[in-house]
């Protein structure tokens, strides 16, 4: 049971470099999310995708782009990395087509450092 | 908008001590409430949840009751273990469209000493 798989786990970038964080889920979930976690600030939503082919901005989208490649995969791209983007990034998914509480399943996280 | 306020940490307890982590929320609708736990080096995972007023969520000896009148969802455990050392997040999600968009508290770090 893989659940949500994120790559890479660790990455160091120089200011201005670009990179893509990959996320894949094998639970047939319709919705996928990218969060960032910073000390003392909880998790903040960057972008989400309610279904294949749709994406929407969350709380902190500036400096990021996303692609919902298919139902399983949701990537996050930093076009020109800045030190303020140093963070731990989490991908999550859920099936919110059903009524009731929508529990998020998280990946293990990707720790990004921008020098 | 929605918000979640958690008791500030860090919290340090001795093994077998009683744990309470306070959580209050502000929401325009009638949200579902969650506690997630993050062990060192891992992603968040669901600890327990409640979907309506007076519901009690429970798991691994942890409990939390959905109190609509006080807009609270405090986490409790009667006797903590060293293995409970982790960061605990209170969260809510709406019941409408995109219900999976959750609002998280800042997290409370718990350290349990033998």
């Amino acid at each position: 049971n893989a659940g949500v798989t994120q790559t890479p786990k660790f990455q160091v970038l120089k200011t201005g470099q670009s990179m893509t964080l990959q996320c894949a889920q094998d639970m047939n979930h319709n919705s996928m999310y990218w969060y960032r976690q910073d000390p003392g600030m909880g998790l903040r939503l960057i972008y989400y995708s309610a279904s294949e082919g749709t994406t929407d901005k969350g709380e902190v989208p500036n400096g990021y782009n996303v692609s919902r490649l298919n139902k399983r995969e949701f990537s996050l791209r930093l076009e020109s990395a800045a030190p303020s983007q140093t963070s731990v990034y989490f991908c999550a998914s859920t099936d919110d087509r059903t009524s009731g509480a929508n529990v998020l399943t998280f990946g293990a996280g990707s720790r990004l450092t921008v020098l | 908008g929605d918000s979640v306020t958690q008791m500030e940490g860090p919290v340090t307890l001795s093994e077998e001590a009683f744990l309470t982590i306070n959580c209050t929320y502000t929401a325009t609708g009638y949200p579902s409430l969650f506690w997630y736990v993050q062990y060192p080096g891992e992603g968040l995972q669901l600890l327990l949840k409640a979907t309506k007023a007076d519901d009690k969520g429970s798991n691994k000896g942890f409990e939390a009751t959905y109190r609509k009148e006080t807009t609270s969802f405090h986490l409790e455990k009667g006797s903590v273990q060293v293995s409970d050392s982790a960061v605990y997040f209170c969260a809510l999600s709406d019941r409408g469209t995109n219900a999976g968009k959750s609002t998280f508290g800042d997290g409370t770090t718990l350290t349990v000493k033998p």
Side-chain angles (χ1 to χ4, degrees):
Chain A
N1 293 337
V4 177
T5 303
Q6 288 182 235
T7 55
K9 288 190 179 301
F10 302 95
Q11 184 73 49
V12 179
L13 293 177
K14 295 181 180 178
T15 298
Q17 288 185 319
S18 63
M19 77 158 298
T20 300
L21 300 177
Q22 307 286 354
C23 175
Q25 53 92 9
D26 62 0
M27 297 169 288
N28 201 38
H29 286 169
N30 63 302
S31 295
M32 298 184 73
Y33 306 82
W34 277 106
Y35 289 89
R36 60 178 289 173
Q37 182 182 29
D38 301 295
M41 298 186 74
L43 274 75
R44 292 182 292 169
L45 182 64
I46 305 171
Y47 270 94
Y48 66 99
S49 170
S51 62
E52 184 179 350
T54 68
T55 60
D56 284 288
K57 296 178 181 179
E59 183 184 353
V60 288
N62 291 345
Y64 305 95
N65 286 303
V66 290
S67 295
R68 184 74 182 268
L69 304 171
N70 48 54
K71 190 169 187 179
R72 292 186 62 249
E73 299 173 287
F74 187 41
S75 62
L76 178 72
R77 183 162 179 83
L78 287 70
E79 291 290 352
S80 179
S84 61
Q85 294 178 304
T86 294
S87 188
V88 181
Y89 292 85
F90 287 99
C91 179
S93 69
T94 190
D95 185 350
D96 58 9
R97 294 166 295 179
T98 59
S99 61
N102 302 112
V103 177
L104 289 167
T105 301
F106 285 86
S110 298
R111 184 176 293 276
L112 175 65
T113 301
V114 183
L115 303 176
Chain B
D2 297 345
S3 67
V4 175
T5 302
Q6 275 183 245
M7 166 180 166
E8 286 190 21
V11 175
T12 302
L13 296 174
S14 298
E15 208 165 22
E16 299 185 2
F18 185 85
L19 169 71
T20 299
I21 301 177
N22 291 336
C23 172
T24 57
Y25 67 90
T26 303
T28 52
Y30 192 169
S32 297
L33 301 175
F34 308 84
W35 278 100
Y36 287 87
V37 59
Q38 183 181 29
Y39 298 104
E42 299 182 9
L44 283 71
Q45 57 186 274
L46 178 71
L47 180 59
L48 52 84
K49 66 181 182 183
T51 59
K52 61 183 186 294
D54 300 325
D55 262 4
K56 178 184 283 188
S58 62
N59 186 25
K60 299 181 181 180
F62 291 90
E63 294 183 339
T65 301
Y66 192 142
R67 300 290 188 197
K68 195 167 188 291
E69 64 276 14
T70 55
T71 62
S72 65
F73 193 54
H74 304 321
L75 182 69
E76 296 182 337
K77 186 175 185 182
S79 177
V80 294
Q81 305 299 313
V82 172
S83 57
D84 294 327
S85 298
V87 183
Y88 293 82
F89 291 91
C90 185
L92 64 82
S93 74
D94 291 333
R95 297 166 182 273
T97 57
N98 295 319
K101 289 168 59 183
S102 295
T103 300
F104 289 84
D106 290 346
T108 301
T109 300
L110 170 67
T111 302
V112 180
K113 300 194 170 183

